[in-house]
Amino acid sequence: QFSDSAGYVGFANLPNQVHRKSVKKGFEFTLMVVGESGLGKSTLINSLFLTDLYPERYIPGAAEKIERTVQIEASTVEIEERGVKLRLTVVDTPGYGDAINSQDCFKTIIQYIDNQFERYLHDESGLNRRHIIDNRVHCCFYFISPFGHGLKPLDVEFMKALHGKVNIVPVIAKADTLTLKERERLKRRVLDEISEHGIRIYQLPDADSDEDEEFKEQTRVLKASFTPNLFIPFAVIGSNQLIEVKGKKIRGRLYPWGVVEVENPEHNDFLKLRTMLVTHMQDLQEVTQDLHYENFRSERLKRTGKPVEEEVVDKDRILQQKEAELRRMQEMIAQMQAQMRMKPGDD
Amino acid sequence: QNDGYRTLSLSGHVGFGSLPDQLVKKSIKQGFCFNILCIGETGSGKSTLINSLFNTNFDDPASTHFLPNVRLRAQTYELRESNVLLKLTIVNTVGFGDQINKEDSYQPIVDYIDAQFEAYLQEELKIKRSLFTYHDTRIHVCLYFISPTGHSVKSLDLLTMKSLDSKVNIIPIIGKADSISKTELQKFKNKIMSELVSNGVQIYQFPTDDETVSKINTIMNGHLPFAVVGSTEEVKIGNKMVRARQYPWGIVQVENENHCDFVKLREMLICTNMEDLREQTHARHYELYRRCRLEEMGFRDIGPENKPVSLQEAYEAKRHEFYLELQRKEEEMRQQFVQRVKEKETILKEAEQQVQTKFEHHMLMHQEVKLKLEKKKKVLEDEIAMFIEKKANAELLQSQASVSTPVVSLKRDKDRK
């Protein structure tokens, strides 16, 4: 219980100071995008950040794809909004799922994520820690095909291998191939399969969870649209084209039977995905730091490749332990001796 | 066509103009048989399209993505339209494209197609055969479902089609095409066709040699691959119920030519070229298979001195060869049998000998023991005889002694003793 202070002190201004400093410092965020070719990843990323991240894209022919390995392509851009600078890195993984044998498909990806952790660990343990650059992957959008009936074996293998290293957000793109009923069915199926295989995806903290029951019931419908966890995996549509609808130019896709609007919440979950990403950027970074990075660090330090100072410290500790044990033994012996001396007296 | 025959003109009506009609009447009576193979990833829309094409609900439950290998599932149905009876077999791939390692994915399909050819070949080669009642299971057309990614075909598609293009008529199809806009679609189709051409994949071309259908077929060839949408649900448009998919932003009608190529596919596959597909399967793909197979078995059309050899002669030669081989094997087996018998006989003889020796040994022993016993018996008998004699003498002495003494008391003493 905190009582308001009797007179003015001034620390109520702290949040403003934090705000000011963070704007000066700028933000950085790394988003990784994984999925088979042709699922709509690039179009979605361009739609999300309203920019063209892939101006000269090379799409190989089918013959080249047979033996194709996974590449890691990271592109960093600086975008600014209302004075807030964001250094955004999008890590693309072309070649994922292309080869006829996708057995080693995600080894490259795991290696990349580990390398970023390794580099951060090295920087953090160094002597000069002024300018640590955080290139760790904060979020991974995993694209699930809307044409199938649920997860595929490759999807399950990937997520199981990476859910302990990065925040996984499953996404269904090209959602304009699904009717609303089919969308519900696919989402439910995917969620069932995720829990069936013990996959841990990123859980968003629910908003407004401490309101009373009556209020919750009244605003249930409204709340639903602000409770992102009900919509995962997000079924989204992306578009690079502007189409005129009712006098306005909007992002969408033009078909003979109608126009799909990207930012229409009745058509798809695009807005929810963008809102989630933007409002939870900080949380995604924190979970990466507090959970995934810490896991990596403790595993890494347990292995034999420990830094030298740690080894020496260990030896000292072992020595101390042994000395303590010796002392304990000596005490026990003394006790027993005392007991034995007392015994003849008792008899 | 002038093969050196004279062309004559008729001076009246003869009547053989009805020959095609007779053929038609006979084939209607027999009924038709058509076999479709659908290859596509799980969820690519195969079953829904077939249901839409034939306007029925073939029961085909959706399968899981987690099957360990690719299998084929065939189901046969009997359909009737007007007075035409069609025996339709739909073969679907199950689990295609799901495995992480897809190197062996297309082999089961190749094996299946070959197996149907083989069955037909076996029937054809039989001495007593009944081809007219044979249920032809050879695949007449393969609908290959390409995933609507908008980029190009996948690596698995390329490998599979290359392994099948000399065995079956392939018609490539883009399934679930309602996620591709018009402009994207043309680019996508062009990319697919150019990739197939540059990799030497031979797909089925609608025939352009028959003037009645050549124009429409040429146009249709330019629309490949067909971008189709299927639906098992109906929506009310105007005052009719039509097959359609309902979205918040509009309704996709399956039979609307502006929306997708479904009508084109139905027209080409069923109305116009079904018979050509059957003919191509028999005259081209099957013949190729048969030739390769017979060559494998060792048959040749040209004999050792470059003289033509008839199948009959080759067959006779093969049969003779086989017969000799059979005899040789028989002889070998007989030899082996005789050998074995001899060996067994020797073993048995030895055993018999051993038993005999043992028997004689035992007989000897028996004799010895018997002799010993006889001796003992004799000795015993002698002792008994002596004892009886002694007893008699003793009794005699006793009776002589009892005269001079009271008989009773002595007898009593004797009894007591």
Side-chain angles (χ1 to χ4, degrees):
Chain A
Q1 291 267 318
F2 300 103
S3 55
D4 281 348
S5 30
Y8 173 75
V9 181
F11 58 75
N13 198 34
L14 273 168
N16 290 338
Q17 298 176 30
V18 171
H19 188 267
R20 192 167 29 94
K21 277 199 174 271
S22 66
V23 167
K24 180 158 176 265
K25 190 169 153 209
F27 293 86
E28 41 190 16
F29 191 76
T30 303
L31 171 68
M32 179 178 263
V33 175
V34 182
E36 279 183 30
S37 307
L39 288 181
K41 302 186 295 291
S42 322
T43 313
L44 182 69
I45 295 298
N46 283 342
S47 305
L48 269 179
F49 298 103
L50 293 173
T51 169
D52 193 6
L53 235 74
Y54 305 93
E56 287 161 29
R57 215 150 65 102
Y58 169 65
I59 299 178
E64 288 174 70
K65 285 193 208 163
I66 294 176
E67 300 260 310
R68 196 182 186 200
T69 52
V70 179
Q71 307 296 315
I72 305 283
E73 284 175 7
S75 31
T76 308
V77 293
E78 265 196 25
I79 43 185
E80 184 180 321
E81 190 183 70
R82 282 197 286 162
V84 179
K85 287 201 189 67
L86 174 67
R87 229 182 73 243
L88 171 73
T89 305
V90 175
V91 182
D92 202 2
T93 53
Y96 180 82
D98 272 351
I100 198 79
N101 185 353
S102 298
Q103 202 76 47
D104 297 330
C105 194
F106 40 88
K107 289 215 172 89
T108 323
I109 299 174
I110 293 179
Q111 218 165 22
Y112 178 82
I113 295 178
D114 280 347
N115 282 347
Q116 306 315 308
F117 280 152
E118 184 75 42
R119 209 186 304 175
Y120 194 85
L121 177 62
H122 181 265
D123 289 347
E124 198 187 50
S125 327
L127 293 172
N128 185 359
R129 306 206 295 186
R130 276 211 134 229
H131 298 292
I132 299 179
I133 299 175
D134 185 7
N135 271 324
R136 299 172 295 185
V137 180
H138 301 118
C139 180
C140 171
F141 279 179
Y142 190 81
F143 283 71
I144 295 166
S145 169
F147 308 119
H149 296 154
L151 293 179
K152 295 193 193 166
L154 181 61
D155 302 336
V156 172
E157 291 300 307
F158 177 86
M159 289 199 270
K160 269 165 64 170
L162 267 94
H163 64 172
K165 292 187 180 289
V166 71
N167 298 316
I168 298 181
V169 175
V171 176
I172 301 171
K174 294 202 172 177
D176 52 350
T177 193
L178 299 165
T179 62
L180 293 181
K181 227 189 330 169
E182 289 168 346
R183 222 180 273 181
E184 281 307 303
R185 206 167 358 139
L186 182 61
K187 284 190 186 186
R188 204 167 303 137
R189 183 76 178 263
V190 168
L191 285 177
D192 285 345
E193 287 176 335
I194 282 178
S195 79
E196 201 182 290
H197 286 101
I199 297 170
R200 301 189 298 271
I201 57 173
Y202 175 66
Q203 289 296 318
L204 303 108
D206 275 322
D208 304 327
S209 53
D210 50 4
E211 281 176 287
D212 60 82
E213 292 299 323
E214 199 189 293
F215 193 80
K216 273 190 196 163
E217 194 48 48
Q218 278 176 350
T219 57
R220 192 173 53 81
V221 171
L222 198 65
K223 262 175 83 66
S225 60
F226 293 134
T227 319
N229 272 327
L230 285 179
F231 288 92
I232 290 182
F234 295 107
V236 296
I237 299 162
S239 172
N240 292 328
Q241 292 165 333
L242 291 168
I243 301 182
E244 189 149 331
V245 172
K246 291 181 195 152
K248 278 205 305 175
K249 273 206 178 329
I250 52 142
R251 273 189 183 244
R253 289 176 63 73
L254 176 64
Y255 290 112
W257 49 86
V259 176
V260 183
E261 299 164 38
V262 168
E263 296 191 21
N264 185 335
E266 283 175 29
H267 288 188
N268 74 117
D269 302 331
F270 176 82
L271 283 181
K272 294 188 189 72
L273 176 65
R274 189 163 67 187
T275 310
M276 181 228 74
L277 182 63
V278 169
T279 55
H280 291 88
M281 248 185 208
Q282 192 56 32
D283 185 60
L284 283 162
Q285 284 184 325
E286 277 172 26
V287 175
T288 307
Q289 166 75 29
D290 298 337
L291 181 65
H292 301 297
Y293 173 68
E294 288 302 318
N295 274 342
F296 173 83
R297 186 176 169 281
S298 58
E299 282 300 308
R300 186 74 181 73
L301 295 182
K302 268 193 225 166
R303 288 195 334 245
T304 48
K306 279 187 253 180
V308 184
E309 315 88 58
E310 295 263 351
E311 265 188 68
V312 173
V313 166
D314 255 1
K315 283 209 181 89
D316 275 338
R317 213 182 320 138
I318 293 172
L319 217 70
Q320 282 174 355
Q321 280 177 353
K322 287 268 186 305
E323 279 179 4
E325 221 180 289
L326 205 72
R327 242 175 284 137
R328 240 181 300 138
M329 287 281 169
Q330 284 174 336
E331 273 173 27
M332 260 169 62
I333 291 171
Q335 255 182 24
M336 278 161 69
Q337 279 179 338
Q339 273 182 2
M340 276 163 61
R341 257 179 260 128
M342 272 170 50
K343 255 193 174 169
D346 284 347
D347 263 354
Chain B
Q1 277 180 359
N2 199 344
D3 301 324
Y5 300 119
R6 297 173 295 154
T7 325
L8 298 173
S9 52
L10 302 169
S11 53
H13 174 77
V14 180
F16 59 77
S18 70
L19 276 168
D21 298 324
Q22 296 172 31
L23 198 62
V24 167
K25 213 160 86 172
K26 175 159 173 249
S27 56
I28 288 178
K29 185 157 166 255
Q30 261 184 322
F32 293 86
C33 161
F34 196 62
N35 307 321
I36 304 178
L37 168 64
C38 291
I39 303 180
E41 290 182 8
T42 310
S44 52
K46 304 184 287 291
S47 317
T48 311
L49 182 70
I50 296 293
N51 282 344
S52 307
L53 269 177
F54 291 97
N55 227 349
T56 11
N57 203 355
F58 300 119
D59 183 35
D60 196 14
S63 74
T64 161
H65 284 286
F66 290 85
L67 296 168
N69 45 31
V70 177
R71 282 184 358 252
L72 287 106
R73 186 165 59 198
Q75 283 159 310
T76 309
Y77 311 93
E78 279 196 8
L79 304 172
R80 181 187 284 279
E81 192 179 60
S82 299
N83 56 345
V84 179
L85 189 66
L86 177 68
K87 205 178 218 161
L88 178 72
T89 302
I90 313 281
V91 185
N92 272 318
T93 54
V94 180
F96 189 73
D98 280 334
Q99 297 77 29
I100 295 181
N101 184 354
K102 299 184 268 279
E103 282 171 342
D104 300 326
S105 287
Y106 60 82
Q107 197 55 45
I109 306 173
V110 173
D111 292 343
Y112 182 85
I113 295 177
D114 280 347
Q116 310 319 306
F117 282 151
E118 184 67 27
Y120 191 88
L121 181 65
Q122 291 301 324
E123 183 63 32
E124 214 183 35
L125 291 176
K126 273 192 192 159
I127 295 172
K128 191 162 182 220
R129 63 189 192 185
S130 49
L131 280 173
F132 48 91
T133 52
Y134 179 75
H135 173 47
D136 187 5
T137 56
R138 295 172 299 180
I139 300 293
H140 299 123
V141 70
C142 167
L143 297 178
Y144 195 95
F145 285 72
I146 295 170
S147 200
T149 57
H151 291 178
S152 65
V153 295
K154 295 190 183 177
S155 49
L156 178 62
D157 299 337
L158 198 61
L159 287 178
T160 307
M161 283 199 265
K162 267 214 83 77
S163 71
L164 294 175
D165 66 352
S166 59
K167 292 182 181 289
V168 72
N169 301 314
I170 300 180
I171 298 181
I173 290 183
I174 302 170
K176 293 199 173 177
D178 54 354
S179 63
I180 312 177
S181 69
K182 260 207 159 86
T183 40
E184 291 166 350
L185 188 60
Q186 199 47 53
K187 250 199 302 181
F188 187 34
K189 284 189 179 187
N190 291 344
K191 187 81 205 288
I192 293 173
M193 292 311 277
S194 77
E195 272 207 311
L196 293 180
V197 164
S198 65
N199 283 289
V201 175
Q202 293 193 341
I203 58 170
Y204 176 73
Q205 292 293 308
F206 302 120
T208 49
D209 48 1
D210 180 351
E211 27 195 63
T212 38
V213 290
S214 84
K215 190 152 168 246
I216 183 78
N217 276 348
T218 318
I219 296 174
M220 290 301 179
N221 275 329
H223 280 288
L224 285 172
F226 290 132
V228 293
V229 175
S231 175
T232 45
E233 275 159 19
E234 295 189 335
V235 176
K236 193 162 188 160
I237 306 273
N239 54 354
K240 277 205 306 171
M241 293 294 280
V242 294
R243 279 184 189 266
R245 287 176 62 74
Q246 183 149 45
Y247 292 109
W249 49 84
I251 300 175
V252 182
Q253 297 159 40
V254 169
E255 294 188 39
N256 184 332
E257 292 209 53
N258 271 330
H259 290 187
C260 71
D261 297 332
F262 174 83
V263 172
K264 294 189 181 72
L265 174 67
R266 188 174 58 189
E267 182 74 31
M268 285 291 101
L269 178 68
I270 301 175
C271 307
T272 314
N273 297 306
M274 209 187 227
E275 188 53 37
D276 183 70
L277 285 162
R278 282 155 41 93
E279 202 182 291
Q280 291 286 324
T281 306
H282 182 70
R284 193 149 63 95
H285 300 295
Y286 170 68
E287 284 301 311
L288 181 64
Y289 176 83
R290 180 178 168 278
R291 199 177 72 212
C292 292
R293 229 7 216 116
L294 291 180
E295 274 173 5
E296 249 177 60
M297 289 201 251
F299 292 102
R300 295 281 178 275
D301 275 345
I302 310 289
E305 284 128 41
N306 265 358
K307 277 196 265 181
V309 170
S310 79
L311 189 67
Q312 182 72 10
E313 285 175 27
Y315 182 68
E316 285 293 315
K318 268 261 135 116
R319 204 164 78 128
H320 187 68
E321 206 183 297
F322 180 70
Y323 188 64
L324 286 173
E325 180 73 20
L326 195 73
Q327 278 197 314
R328 191 183 63 80
K329 279 224 166 94
E330 234 182 84
E331 189 59 41
E332 208 180 295
M333 277 172 72
R334 196 175 303 142
Q335 297 266 19
Q336 272 190 5
F337 181 71
V338 169
Q339 182 81 353
R340 286 248 181 85
V341 167
K342 274 209 180 101
E343 281 171 16
K344 208 63 196 245
E345 230 177 4
T346 333
I347 291 172
L348 284 174
K349 267 214 167 83
E350 258 181 54
E352 199 186 331
Q353 196 78 321
Q354 279 183 358
V355 170
Q356 185 78 0
T357 326
K358 269 207 180 124
F359 178 68
E360 284 172 4
H361 180 73
H362 278 142
M363 284 296 283
L364 272 167
M365 297 268 289
H366 181 83
Q367 287 284 65
E368 281 175 21
V369 170
K370 196 166 169 191
L371 277 168
K372 275 197 189 137
L373 280 172
E374 298 258 304
K375 278 197 191 141
K376 276 198 176 150
K377 190 171 168 191
K378 189 110 188 342
V379 166
L380 202 65
E381 278 176 1
D382 287 344
E383 280 184 9
I384 290 173
M386 268 202 317
F387 179 72
I388 290 176
E389 221 184 287
K390 272 196 179 154
K391 184 176 170 192
N393 287 346
E395 277 178 0
L396 203 60
L397 279 167
Q398 284 291 340
S399 62
Q400 282 177 346
S402 67
V403 172
S404 48
T405 46
V407 179
V408 184
S409 59
L410 271 168
K411 260 204 175 151
R412 241 186 265 136
D413 277 333
K414 241 199 213 158
D415 285 327
R416 233 187 291 132
K417 276 185 189 149

